[in-house]
Amino acid sequence: MTELESARVYTDFHHKLPPHPGSEWTRFVCISDTHSRVFPVPPGDVLLHAGDLSSWGSLDELRPTVEWLKSLEHPVKIMIAGNHDLCLDEQWGLQTYGINPDDIRHARAYVRSDAGLHYLEYEAFQFTAPSGRTWKVYGSPAAPIHVQGAFQYGTSEEARAIYDRIPLDTEILVTHTPPFMTQDRTRKGKNAGCQILASALQQLPECRLHVFGHIHEANGAQTDTDASGGTGRVFVNAAVASHGNAIVVDLKN
């Protein structure tokens, strides 16, 4: 467990997660990169899924994940797409990309069809936790280009246009890509996160939790005690594809 004055982070609890700390706290359960598979998920106030819902991007591969998320009992459930989720990216419905446009339309409507599951695509959202605390969240599916994939950008200008959209009062940020030099090291030793996103985070003084995935082998969490007005910021690479364990973060309201 990692503990700050206003945050507690659990990365390896072997199904013995400490009890919810009480009404002054909000418990976030963080997962990503489930790739059409189902994993055990502990209870909590808010479930955050940071993308790669499907394995290879078809609507049929998306459905098992969405139905599984719908079945979970977390009071608030938020998800974004990732580079594998081709059927959610409108660009992949163009003739040169080759996914049936009807599948794109159906997939995009499907992920917004359940009132208890909130799909964010370059969007801000506010929710009230069971404690009564209202949190401001922003979700972005984007990632730097890597072979063929969805929601990817290839230039610094594209990246800036994407991350300039994040509201300055965002408290919970969910992106598919990691920021550069933060839980982003690949098996080959490369830091594969986004430098523009890392810079954008410096302009988000209220952000207390940043959840992402994408780089499976960099799963884990770290804290920045100088961020978020001195209360500390928690960074979580929540990719579960290689080990199947969610990461839990308790934030003091």
Side-chain angles (χ1 to χ4, degrees), residues 144-194:
I145 193 166
H146 175 68
V147 298
Q148 286 190 322
F151 302 105
Q152 296 190 116
Y153 50 88
T155 68
S156 296
E157 290 73 20
E158 290 177 292
R160 288 191 186 93
I162 288 168
Y163 297 119
D164 282 349
R165 296 167 65 176
I166 303 173
L168 297 182
D169 60 354
T170 296
E171 297 171 296
I172 310 297
L173 179 62
V174 187
T175 65
H176 187 57
T177 184
F180 185 63
M181 295 290 289
T182 303
Q183 300 296 140
D184 69 334
R185 187 174 290 272
T186 70
R187 289 190 181 89
K188 295 182 179 180
K190 176 184 177 182
N191 293 102
C194 177

mmCIF file of all heavy atoms in Angstrom, residues 144-194:
data_model
loop_
_atom_site.group_PDB
_atom_site.id
_atom_site.type_symbol
_atom_site.label_atom_id
_atom_site.label_comp_id
_atom_site.label_asym_id
_atom_site.label_seq_id
_atom_site.Cartn_x
_atom_site.Cartn_y
_atom_site.Cartn_z
ATOM 1 N N PRO A 144 -0.517 8.083 -28.834
ATOM 2 C CA PRO A 144 0.388 8.271 -29.974
ATOM 3 C C PRO A 144 0.292 7.104 -30.940
ATOM 4 O O PRO A 144 0.048 5.962 -30.542
ATOM 5 C CB PRO A 144 1.771 8.330 -29.319
ATOM 6 C CG PRO A 144 1.511 8.727 -27.900
ATOM 7 C CD PRO A 144 0.185 8.116 -27.553
ATOM 8 N N ILE A 145 0.502 7.355 -32.208
ATOM 9 C CA ILE A 145 0.321 6.337 -33.235
ATOM 10 C C ILE A 145 1.272 5.157 -33.025
ATOM 11 O O ILE A 145 2.450 5.333 -32.712
ATOM 12 C CB ILE A 145 0.488 6.943 -34.640
ATOM 13 C CG1 ILE A 145 -0.002 5.965 -35.708
ATOM 14 C CG2 ILE A 145 1.933 7.389 -34.881
ATOM 15 C CD1 ILE A 145 -0.174 6.615 -37.060
ATOM 16 N N HIS A 146 0.722 3.961 -33.133
ATOM 17 C CA HIS A 146 1.492 2.723 -33.014
ATOM 18 C C HIS A 146 0.825 1.700 -33.921
ATOM 19 O O HIS A 146 -0.261 1.232 -33.620
ATOM 20 C CB HIS A 146 1.516 2.213 -31.581
ATOM 21 C CG HIS A 146 2.180 0.895 -31.416
ATOM 22 N ND1 HIS A 146 3.535 0.718 -31.608
ATOM 23 C CD2 HIS A 146 1.680 -0.322 -31.101
ATOM 24 C CE1 HIS A 146 3.842 -0.552 -31.403
ATOM 25 N NE2 HIS A 146 2.723 -1.202 -31.094
ATOM 26 N N VAL A 147 1.472 1.350 -35.029
ATOM 27 C CA VAL A 147 0.859 0.536 -36.088
ATOM 28 C C VAL A 147 -0.554 1.054 -36.375
ATOM 29 O O VAL A 147 -0.827 2.244 -36.219
ATOM 30 C CB VAL A 147 0.916 -0.978 -35.764
ATOM 31 C CG1 VAL A 147 2.361 -1.432 -35.652
ATOM 32 C CG2 VAL A 147 0.192 -1.340 -34.477
ATOM 33 N N GLN A 148 -1.459 0.180 -36.770
ATOM 34 C CA GLN A 148 -2.822 0.623 -37.047
ATOM 35 C C GLN A 148 -3.663 0.526 -35.784
ATOM 36 O O GLN A 148 -3.625 -0.474 -35.075
ATOM 37 C CB GLN A 148 -3.444 -0.219 -38.155
ATOM 38 C CG GLN A 148 -2.903 0.090 -39.545
ATOM 39 C CD GLN A 148 -3.726 -0.588 -40.627
ATOM 40 O OE1 GLN A 148 -4.177 -1.714 -40.464
ATOM 41 N NE2 GLN A 148 -3.925 0.101 -41.732
ATOM 42 N N GLY A 149 -4.430 1.563 -35.523
ATOM 43 C CA GLY A 149 -5.263 1.544 -34.338
ATOM 44 C C GLY A 149 -6.238 2.695 -34.339
ATOM 45 O O GLY A 149 -6.233 3.555 -35.220
ATOM 46 N N ALA A 150 -7.080 2.717 -33.327
ATOM 47 C CA ALA A 150 -8.121 3.736 -33.205
ATOM 48 C C ALA A 150 -7.630 4.911 -32.364
ATOM 49 O O ALA A 150 -6.727 4.771 -31.536
ATOM 50 C CB ALA A 150 -9.360 3.121 -32.556
ATOM 51 N N PHE A 151 -8.225 6.070 -32.600
ATOM 52 C CA PHE A 151 -8.024 7.262 -31.776
ATOM 53 C C PHE A 151 -6.545 7.618 -31.601
ATOM 54 O O PHE A 151 -6.099 7.973 -30.511
ATOM 55 C CB PHE A 151 -8.670 7.069 -30.389
ATOM 56 C CG PHE A 151 -10.140 6.773 -30.432
ATOM 57 C CD1 PHE A 151 -10.617 5.481 -30.187
ATOM 58 C CD2 PHE A 151 -11.061 7.763 -30.717
ATOM 59 C CE1 PHE A 151 -11.972 5.200 -30.211
ATOM 60 C CE2 PHE A 151 -12.425 7.491 -30.742
ATOM 61 C CZ PHE A 151 -12.877 6.206 -30.498
ATOM 62 N N GLN A 152 -5.779 7.526 -32.678
ATOM 63 C CA GLN A 152 -4.346 7.785 -32.585
ATOM 64 C C GLN A 152 -3.970 9.121 -33.221
ATOM 65 O O GLN A 152 -4.638 9.591 -34.140
ATOM 66 C CB GLN A 152 -3.560 6.649 -33.247
ATOM 67 C CG GLN A 152 -3.753 5.313 -32.540
ATOM 68 C CD GLN A 152 -2.801 4.240 -33.027
ATOM 69 O OE1 GLN A 152 -1.963 3.750 -32.294
ATOM 70 N NE2 GLN A 152 -2.926 3.876 -34.288
ATOM 71 N N TYR A 153 -2.889 9.708 -32.748
ATOM 72 C CA TYR A 153 -2.382 10.956 -33.316
ATOM 73 C C TYR A 153 -0.900 10.788 -33.635
ATOM 74 O O TYR A 153 -0.186 10.025 -32.979
ATOM 75 C CB TYR A 153 -2.601 12.131 -32.368
ATOM 76 C CG TYR A 153 -2.144 11.914 -30.937
ATOM 77 C CD1 TYR A 153 -0.836 12.204 -30.542
ATOM 78 C CD2 TYR A 153 -3.031 11.432 -29.967
ATOM 79 C CE1 TYR A 153 -0.427 12.018 -29.236
ATOM 80 C CE2 TYR A 153 -2.622 11.248 -28.662
ATOM 81 C CZ TYR A 153 -1.323 11.541 -28.295
ATOM 82 O OH TYR A 153 -0.917 11.348 -27.002
ATOM 83 N N GLY A 154 -0.463 11.532 -34.656
ATOM 84 C CA GLY A 154 0.895 11.355 -35.137
ATOM 85 C C GLY A 154 1.804 12.549 -34.978
ATOM 86 O O GLY A 154 3.012 12.441 -35.191
ATOM 87 N N THR A 155 1.250 13.713 -34.614
ATOM 88 C CA THR A 155 2.069 14.915 -34.521
ATOM 89 C C THR A 155 1.843 15.613 -33.187
ATOM 90 O O THR A 155 0.825 15.401 -32.508
ATOM 91 C CB THR A 155 1.718 15.907 -35.645
ATOM 92 O OG1 THR A 155 0.382 16.416 -35.426
ATOM 93 C CG2 THR A 155 1.803 15.246 -37.020
ATOM 94 N N SER A 156 2.793 16.478 -32.837
ATOM 95 C CA SER A 156 2.657 17.262 -31.613
ATOM 96 C C SER A 156 1.458 18.197 -31.683
ATOM 97 O O SER A 156 0.773 18.436 -30.679
ATOM 98 C CB SER A 156 3.929 18.079 -31.368
ATOM 99 O OG SER A 156 5.035 17.224 -31.151
ATOM 100 N N GLU A 157 1.180 18.713 -32.881
ATOM 101 C CA GLU A 157 0.046 19.622 -33.043
ATOM 102 C C GLU A 157 -1.270 18.901 -32.766
ATOM 103 O O GLU A 157 -2.163 19.452 -32.105
ATOM 104 C CB GLU A 157 0.041 20.200 -34.459
ATOM 105 C CG GLU A 157 1.163 21.186 -34.748
ATOM 106 C CD GLU A 157 2.530 20.531 -34.906
ATOM 107 O OE1 GLU A 157 2.583 19.303 -35.165
ATOM 108 O OE2 GLU A 157 3.540 21.242 -34.759
ATOM 109 N N GLU A 158 -1.393 17.677 -33.277
ATOM 110 C CA GLU A 158 -2.603 16.897 -32.998
ATOM 111 C C GLU A 158 -2.739 16.633 -31.507
ATOM 112 O O GLU A 158 -3.837 16.725 -30.940
ATOM 113 C CB GLU A 158 -2.550 15.575 -33.764
ATOM 114 C CG GLU A 158 -2.698 15.688 -35.261
ATOM 115 C CD GLU A 158 -2.548 14.330 -35.923
ATOM 116 O OE1 GLU A 158 -1.434 13.775 -35.906
ATOM 117 O OE2 GLU A 158 -3.548 13.822 -36.454
ATOM 118 N N ALA A 159 -1.633 16.274 -30.862
ATOM 119 C CA ALA A 159 -1.668 15.985 -29.431
ATOM 120 C C ALA A 159 -2.087 17.213 -28.631
ATOM 121 O O ALA A 159 -2.917 17.125 -27.723
ATOM 122 C CB ALA A 159 -0.309 15.480 -28.972
ATOM 123 N N ARG A 160 -1.531 18.368 -28.962
ATOM 124 C CA ARG A 160 -1.883 19.590 -28.230
ATOM 125 C C ARG A 160 -3.362 19.923 -28.391
ATOM 126 O O ARG A 160 -4.030 20.345 -27.438
ATOM 127 C CB ARG A 160 -1.032 20.762 -28.706
ATOM 128 C CG ARG A 160 0.423 20.677 -28.263
ATOM 129 C CD ARG A 160 1.172 21.967 -28.522
ATOM 130 N NE ARG A 160 2.584 21.796 -28.222
ATOM 131 C CZ ARG A 160 3.508 21.440 -29.121
ATOM 132 N NH1 ARG A 160 3.167 21.256 -30.383
ATOM 133 N NH2 ARG A 160 4.773 21.296 -28.756
ATOM 134 N N ALA A 161 -3.882 19.739 -29.606
ATOM 135 C CA ALA A 161 -5.300 20.013 -29.842
ATOM 136 C C ALA A 161 -6.178 19.104 -28.980
ATOM 137 O O ALA A 161 -7.251 19.520 -28.508
ATOM 138 C CB ALA A 161 -5.629 19.824 -31.319
ATOM 139 N N ILE A 162 -5.727 17.880 -28.769
ATOM 140 C CA ILE A 162 -6.486 16.926 -27.950
ATOM 141 C C ILE A 162 -6.420 17.299 -26.477
ATOM 142 O O ILE A 162 -7.447 17.388 -25.786
ATOM 143 C CB ILE A 162 -5.954 15.497 -28.175
ATOM 144 C CG1 ILE A 162 -6.363 14.999 -29.570
ATOM 145 C CG2 ILE A 162 -6.451 14.540 -27.091
ATOM 146 C CD1 ILE A 162 -5.667 13.731 -30.005
ATOM 147 N N TYR A 163 -5.220 17.551 -25.979
ATOM 148 C CA TYR A 163 -5.062 17.736 -24.533
ATOM 149 C C TYR A 163 -5.369 19.160 -24.075
ATOM 150 O O TYR A 163 -5.624 19.379 -22.879
ATOM 151 C CB TYR A 163 -3.674 17.271 -24.095
ATOM 152 C CG TYR A 163 -3.511 15.788 -24.364
ATOM 153 C CD1 TYR A 163 -2.522 15.309 -25.222
ATOM 154 C CD2 TYR A 163 -4.390 14.865 -23.805
ATOM 155 C CE1 TYR A 163 -2.395 13.959 -25.495
ATOM 156 C CE2 TYR A 163 -4.282 13.505 -24.078
ATOM 157 C CZ TYR A 163 -3.285 13.056 -24.927
ATOM 158 O OH TYR A 163 -3.185 11.722 -25.204
ATOM 159 N N ASP A 164 -5.409 20.101 -25.002
ATOM 160 C CA ASP A 164 -5.853 21.446 -24.645
ATOM 161 C C ASP A 164 -7.336 21.485 -24.296
ATOM 162 O O ASP A 164 -7.819 22.465 -23.711
ATOM 163 C CB ASP A 164 -5.578 22.431 -25.787
ATOM 164 C CG ASP A 164 -4.121 22.863 -25.866
ATOM 165 O OD1 ASP A 164 -3.355 22.565 -24.924
ATOM 166 O OD2 ASP A 164 -3.734 23.499 -26.870
ATOM 167 N N ARG A 165 -8.053 20.425 -24.659
ATOM 168 C CA ARG A 165 -9.490 20.368 -24.386
ATOM 169 C C ARG A 165 -9.801 19.970 -22.944
ATOM 170 O O ARG A 165 -10.954 20.061 -22.504
ATOM 171 C CB ARG A 165 -10.160 19.377 -25.349
ATOM 172 C CG ARG A 165 -10.063 19.805 -26.802
ATOM 173 C CD ARG A 165 -10.445 18.687 -27.760
ATOM 174 N NE ARG A 165 -11.833 18.297 -27.648
ATOM 175 C CZ ARG A 165 -12.418 17.379 -28.440
ATOM 176 N NH1 ARG A 165 -11.717 16.784 -29.399
ATOM 177 N NH2 ARG A 165 -13.686 17.081 -28.278
ATOM 178 N N ILE A 166 -8.819 19.499 -22.212
ATOM 179 C CA ILE A 166 -9.080 19.057 -20.837
ATOM 180 C C ILE A 166 -9.386 20.277 -19.959
ATOM 181 O O ILE A 166 -8.569 21.194 -19.870
ATOM 182 C CB ILE A 166 -7.868 18.303 -20.258
ATOM 183 C CG1 ILE A 166 -7.495 17.112 -21.146
ATOM 184 C CG2 ILE A 166 -8.176 17.823 -18.838
ATOM 185 C CD1 ILE A 166 -6.202 16.422 -20.719
ATOM 186 N N PRO A 167 -10.523 20.321 -19.314
ATOM 187 C CA PRO A 167 -10.841 21.466 -18.446
ATOM 188 C C PRO A 167 -9.825 21.607 -17.313
ATOM 189 O O PRO A 167 -9.356 20.607 -16.751
ATOM 190 C CB PRO A 167 -12.231 21.118 -17.892
ATOM 191 C CG PRO A 167 -12.813 20.166 -18.895
ATOM 192 C CD PRO A 167 -11.660 19.371 -19.405
ATOM 193 N N LEU A 168 -9.498 22.834 -16.966
ATOM 194 C CA LEU A 168 -8.473 23.082 -15.962
ATOM 195 C C LEU A 168 -8.905 22.642 -14.567
ATOM 196 O O LEU A 168 -8.059 22.463 -13.681
ATOM 197 C CB LEU A 168 -8.106 24.570 -15.946
ATOM 198 C CG LEU A 168 -7.495 25.115 -17.242
ATOM 199 C CD1 LEU A 168 -7.142 26.588 -17.074
ATOM 200 C CD2 LEU A 168 -6.267 24.311 -17.648
ATOM 201 N N ASP A 169 -10.211 22.472 -14.354
ATOM 202 C CA ASP A 169 -10.680 22.054 -13.033
ATOM 203 C C ASP A 169 -10.892 20.542 -12.932
ATOM 204 O O ASP A 169 -11.503 20.054 -11.972
ATOM 205 C CB ASP A 169 -11.962 22.789 -12.652
ATOM 206 C CG ASP A 169 -13.118 22.536 -13.626
ATOM 207 O OD1 ASP A 169 -12.890 21.872 -14.667
ATOM 208 O OD2 ASP A 169 -14.233 23.008 -13.351
ATOM 209 N N THR A 170 -10.367 19.783 -13.906
ATOM 210 C CA THR A 170 -10.493 18.317 -13.877
ATOM 211 C C THR A 170 -9.813 17.754 -12.632
ATOM 212 O O THR A 170 -8.663 18.071 -12.332
ATOM 213 C CB THR A 170 -9.858 17.703 -15.136
ATOM 214 O OG1 THR A 170 -10.596 18.144 -16.288
ATOM 215 C CG2 THR A 170 -9.870 16.190 -15.076
ATOM 216 N N GLU A 171 -10.525 16.882 -11.922
ATOM 217 C CA GLU A 171 -9.984 16.249 -10.718
ATOM 218 C C GLU A 171 -9.566 14.803 -10.975
ATOM 219 O O GLU A 171 -8.610 14.307 -10.372
ATOM 220 C CB GLU A 171 -11.020 16.289 -9.598
ATOM 221 C CG GLU A 171 -11.387 17.700 -9.167
ATOM 222 C CD GLU A 171 -12.561 17.698 -8.218
ATOM 223 O OE1 GLU A 171 -13.678 17.288 -8.629
ATOM 224 O OE2 GLU A 171 -12.367 18.115 -7.057
ATOM 225 N N ILE A 172 -10.312 14.122 -11.843
ATOM 226 C CA ILE A 172 -10.015 12.736 -12.200
ATOM 227 C C ILE A 172 -9.824 12.689 -13.711
ATOM 228 O O ILE A 172 -10.746 12.999 -14.470
ATOM 229 C CB ILE A 172 -11.164 11.781 -11.799
ATOM 230 C CG1 ILE A 172 -11.586 12.000 -10.345
ATOM 231 C CG2 ILE A 172 -10.764 10.337 -12.062
ATOM 232 C CD1 ILE A 172 -10.517 11.717 -9.323
ATOM 233 N N LEU A 173 -8.645 12.310 -14.164
ATOM 234 C CA LEU A 173 -8.342 12.237 -15.593
ATOM 235 C C LEU A 173 -8.181 10.777 -15.991
ATOM 236 O O LEU A 173 -7.443 10.026 -15.345
ATOM 237 C CB LEU A 173 -7.061 13.007 -15.900
ATOM 238 C CG LEU A 173 -6.589 13.008 -17.356
ATOM 239 C CD1 LEU A 173 -7.621 13.667 -18.277
ATOM 240 C CD2 LEU A 173 -5.232 13.693 -17.482
ATOM 241 N N VAL A 174 -8.891 10.384 -17.053
ATOM 242 C CA VAL A 174 -8.786 9.023 -17.580
ATOM 243 C C VAL A 174 -8.356 9.117 -19.038
ATOM 244 O O VAL A 174 -9.079 9.681 -19.869
ATOM 245 C CB VAL A 174 -10.116 8.256 -17.470
ATOM 246 C CG1 VAL A 174 -9.920 6.796 -17.869
ATOM 247 C CG2 VAL A 174 -10.676 8.333 -16.052
ATOM 248 N N THR A 175 -7.174 8.620 -19.357
ATOM 249 C CA THR A 175 -6.676 8.597 -20.730
ATOM 250 C C THR A 175 -6.231 7.180 -21.047
ATOM 251 O O THR A 175 -5.939 6.391 -20.140
ATOM 252 C CB THR A 175 -5.488 9.561 -20.925
ATOM 253 O OG1 THR A 175 -4.366 9.115 -20.150
ATOM 254 C CG2 THR A 175 -5.848 10.983 -20.516
ATOM 255 N N HIS A 176 -6.143 6.868 -22.349
ATOM 256 C CA HIS A 176 -5.634 5.538 -22.659
ATOM 257 C C HIS A 176 -4.109 5.505 -22.576
ATOM 258 O O HIS A 176 -3.526 4.557 -22.054
ATOM 259 C CB HIS A 176 -6.108 5.069 -24.039
ATOM 260 C CG HIS A 176 -5.740 3.635 -24.298
ATOM 261 N ND1 HIS A 176 -6.136 2.609 -23.460
ATOM 262 C CD2 HIS A 176 -4.975 3.055 -25.261
ATOM 263 C CE1 HIS A 176 -5.649 1.460 -23.913
ATOM 264 N NE2 HIS A 176 -4.933 1.710 -24.990
ATOM 265 N N THR A 177 -3.462 6.525 -23.091
ATOM 266 C CA THR A 177 -2.002 6.558 -23.047
ATOM 267 C C THR A 177 -1.499 7.047 -21.700
ATOM 268 O O THR A 177 -2.129 7.883 -21.058
ATOM 269 C CB THR A 177 -1.442 7.470 -24.153
ATOM 270 O OG1 THR A 177 -0.007 7.407 -24.143
ATOM 271 C CG2 THR A 177 -1.851 8.915 -23.942
ATOM 272 N N PRO A 178 -0.334 6.560 -21.271
ATOM 273 C CA PRO A 178 0.324 7.176 -20.120
ATOM 274 C C PRO A 178 0.976 8.492 -20.524
ATOM 275 O O PRO A 178 1.240 8.732 -21.704
ATOM 276 C CB PRO A 178 1.421 6.163 -19.743
ATOM 277 C CG PRO A 178 1.202 4.954 -20.591
ATOM 278 C CD PRO A 178 0.398 5.383 -21.769
ATOM 279 N N PRO A 179 1.260 9.343 -19.563
ATOM 280 C CA PRO A 179 2.130 10.473 -19.851
ATOM 281 C C PRO A 179 3.578 9.978 -19.925
ATOM 282 O O PRO A 179 3.914 8.922 -19.370
ATOM 283 C CB PRO A 179 1.912 11.410 -18.659
ATOM 284 C CG PRO A 179 1.518 10.505 -17.535
ATOM 285 C CD PRO A 179 0.797 9.341 -18.166
ATOM 286 N N PHE A 180 4.412 10.726 -20.576
ATOM 287 C CA PHE A 180 5.822 10.349 -20.736
ATOM 288 C C PHE A 180 6.517 10.238 -19.374
ATOM 289 O O PHE A 180 6.335 11.072 -18.499
ATOM 290 C CB PHE A 180 6.522 11.408 -21.593
ATOM 291 C CG PHE A 180 7.954 11.088 -21.930
ATOM 292 C CD1 PHE A 180 8.278 9.980 -22.696
ATOM 293 C CD2 PHE A 180 8.969 11.909 -21.479
ATOM 294 C CE1 PHE A 180 9.594 9.687 -23.012
ATOM 295 C CE2 PHE A 180 10.289 11.641 -21.789
ATOM 296 C CZ PHE A 180 10.609 10.517 -22.553
ATOM 297 N N MET A 181 7.279 9.141 -19.213
ATOM 298 C CA MET A 181 8.090 8.881 -18.021
ATOM 299 C C MET A 181 7.262 8.550 -16.785
ATOM 300 O O MET A 181 7.755 8.640 -15.660
ATOM 301 C CB MET A 181 9.022 10.069 -17.728
ATOM 302 C CG MET A 181 10.069 10.333 -18.784
ATOM 303 S SD MET A 181 11.359 9.049 -18.827
ATOM 304 C CE MET A 181 12.235 9.391 -17.305
ATOM 305 N N THR A 182 6.031 8.126 -16.970
ATOM 306 C CA THR A 182 5.187 7.746 -15.832
ATOM 307 C C THR A 182 4.518 6.412 -16.126
ATOM 308 O O THR A 182 3.598 6.346 -16.944
ATOM 309 C CB THR A 182 4.114 8.819 -15.544
ATOM 310 O OG1 THR A 182 4.746 10.077 -15.310
ATOM 311 C CG2 THR A 182 3.288 8.442 -14.324
ATOM 312 N N GLN A 183 4.980 5.354 -15.497
ATOM 313 C CA GLN A 183 4.420 4.008 -15.701
ATOM 314 C C GLN A 183 4.250 3.710 -17.192
ATOM 315 O O GLN A 183 3.198 3.217 -17.610
ATOM 316 C CB GLN A 183 3.084 3.871 -14.970
ATOM 317 C CG GLN A 183 3.132 4.077 -13.473
ATOM 318 C CD GLN A 183 3.955 3.038 -12.728
ATOM 319 O OE1 GLN A 183 4.675 3.362 -11.800
ATOM 320 N NE2 GLN A 183 3.864 1.789 -13.127
ATOM 321 N N ASP A 184 5.287 3.999 -17.990
ATOM 322 C CA ASP A 184 5.158 3.880 -19.446
ATOM 323 C C ASP A 184 6.310 3.103 -20.088
ATOM 324 O O ASP A 184 6.462 3.128 -21.303
ATOM 325 C CB ASP A 184 5.076 5.266 -20.093
ATOM 326 C CG ASP A 184 6.383 6.049 -20.006
ATOM 327 O OD1 ASP A 184 7.182 5.795 -19.066
ATOM 328 O OD2 ASP A 184 6.612 6.923 -20.868
ATOM 329 N N ARG A 185 7.114 2.404 -19.288
ATOM 330 C CA ARG A 185 8.292 1.727 -19.844
ATOM 331 C C ARG A 185 7.904 0.379 -20.458
ATOM 332 O O ARG A 185 7.286 -0.459 -19.802
ATOM 333 C CB ARG A 185 9.365 1.531 -18.776
ATOM 334 C CG ARG A 185 10.694 0.992 -19.338
ATOM 335 C CD ARG A 185 11.754 0.950 -18.258
ATOM 336 N NE ARG A 185 12.163 2.292 -17.873
ATOM 337 C CZ ARG A 185 13.135 2.960 -18.489
ATOM 338 N NH1 ARG A 185 13.783 2.419 -19.503
ATOM 339 N NH2 ARG A 185 13.452 4.163 -18.078
ATOM 340 N N THR A 186 8.282 0.173 -21.702
ATOM 341 C CA THR A 186 7.987 -1.071 -22.404
ATOM 342 C C THR A 186 9.021 -2.144 -22.061
ATOM 343 O O THR A 186 10.042 -1.871 -21.410
ATOM 344 C CB THR A 186 7.996 -0.852 -23.924
ATOM 345 O OG1 THR A 186 9.345 -0.605 -24.355
ATOM 346 C CG2 THR A 186 7.111 0.326 -24.308
ATOM 347 N N ARG A 187 8.762 -3.340 -22.535
ATOM 348 C CA ARG A 187 9.713 -4.445 -22.297
ATOM 349 C C ARG A 187 11.079 -4.154 -22.906
ATOM 350 O O ARG A 187 12.090 -4.681 -22.451
ATOM 351 C CB ARG A 187 9.154 -5.740 -22.877
ATOM 352 C CG ARG A 187 7.970 -6.299 -22.121
ATOM 353 C CD ARG A 187 7.607 -7.699 -22.600
ATOM 354 N NE ARG A 187 6.457 -8.201 -21.871
ATOM 355 C CZ ARG A 187 5.196 -8.027 -22.215
ATOM 356 N NH1 ARG A 187 4.927 -7.311 -23.315
ATOM 357 N NH2 ARG A 187 4.216 -8.515 -21.507
ATOM 358 N N LYS A 188 11.107 -3.349 -23.942
ATOM 359 C CA LYS A 188 12.373 -3.007 -24.599
ATOM 360 C C LYS A 188 13.058 -1.813 -23.936
ATOM 361 O O LYS A 188 14.081 -1.328 -24.428
ATOM 362 C CB LYS A 188 12.122 -2.714 -26.076
ATOM 363 C CG LYS A 188 11.625 -3.931 -26.856
ATOM 364 C CD LYS A 188 11.424 -3.605 -28.330
ATOM 365 C CE LYS A 188 10.952 -4.842 -29.099
ATOM 366 N NZ LYS A 188 10.748 -4.548 -30.547
ATOM 367 N N GLY A 189 12.489 -1.326 -22.847
ATOM 368 C CA GLY A 189 13.117 -0.237 -22.117
ATOM 369 C C GLY A 189 12.797 1.152 -22.630
ATOM 370 O O GLY A 189 13.417 2.133 -22.202
ATOM 371 N N LYS A 190 11.822 1.260 -23.508
ATOM 372 C CA LYS A 190 11.451 2.557 -24.064
ATOM 373 C C LYS A 190 10.342 3.184 -23.227
ATOM 374 O O LYS A 190 9.418 2.497 -22.795
ATOM 375 C CB LYS A 190 10.967 2.393 -25.510
ATOM 376 C CG LYS A 190 10.466 3.671 -26.148
ATOM 377 C CD LYS A 190 9.904 3.423 -27.551
ATOM 378 C CE LYS A 190 9.343 4.702 -28.149
ATOM 379 N NZ LYS A 190 8.747 4.470 -29.492
ATOM 380 N N ASN A 191 10.429 4.490 -23.020
ATOM 381 C CA ASN A 191 9.323 5.225 -22.405
ATOM 382 C C ASN A 191 8.363 5.645 -23.505
ATOM 383 O O ASN A 191 8.660 6.510 -24.314
ATOM 384 C CB ASN A 191 9.838 6.443 -21.649
ATOM 385 C CG ASN A 191 10.658 6.056 -20.436
ATOM 386 O OD1 ASN A 191 11.876 6.109 -20.457
ATOM 387 N ND2 ASN A 191 9.988 5.649 -19.370
ATOM 388 N N ALA A 192 7.194 4.989 -23.530
ATOM 389 C CA ALA A 192 6.269 5.129 -24.653
ATOM 390 C C ALA A 192 5.120 6.086 -24.400
ATOM 391 O O ALA A 192 4.215 6.208 -25.220
ATOM 392 C CB ALA A 192 5.706 3.747 -25.021
ATOM 393 N N GLY A 193 5.143 6.780 -23.269
ATOM 394 C CA GLY A 193 4.071 7.720 -22.967
ATOM 395 C C GLY A 193 4.168 8.991 -23.785
ATOM 396 O O GLY A 193 5.128 9.209 -24.532
ATOM 397 N N CYS A 194 3.173 9.840 -23.637
ATOM 398 C CA CYS A 194 3.058 11.051 -24.448
ATOM 399 C C CYS A 194 3.651 12.257 -23.723
ATOM 400 O O CYS A 194 3.226 12.604 -22.617
ATOM 401 C CB CYS A 194 1.591 11.312 -24.772
ATOM 402 S SG CYS A 194 1.319 12.839 -25.697
#
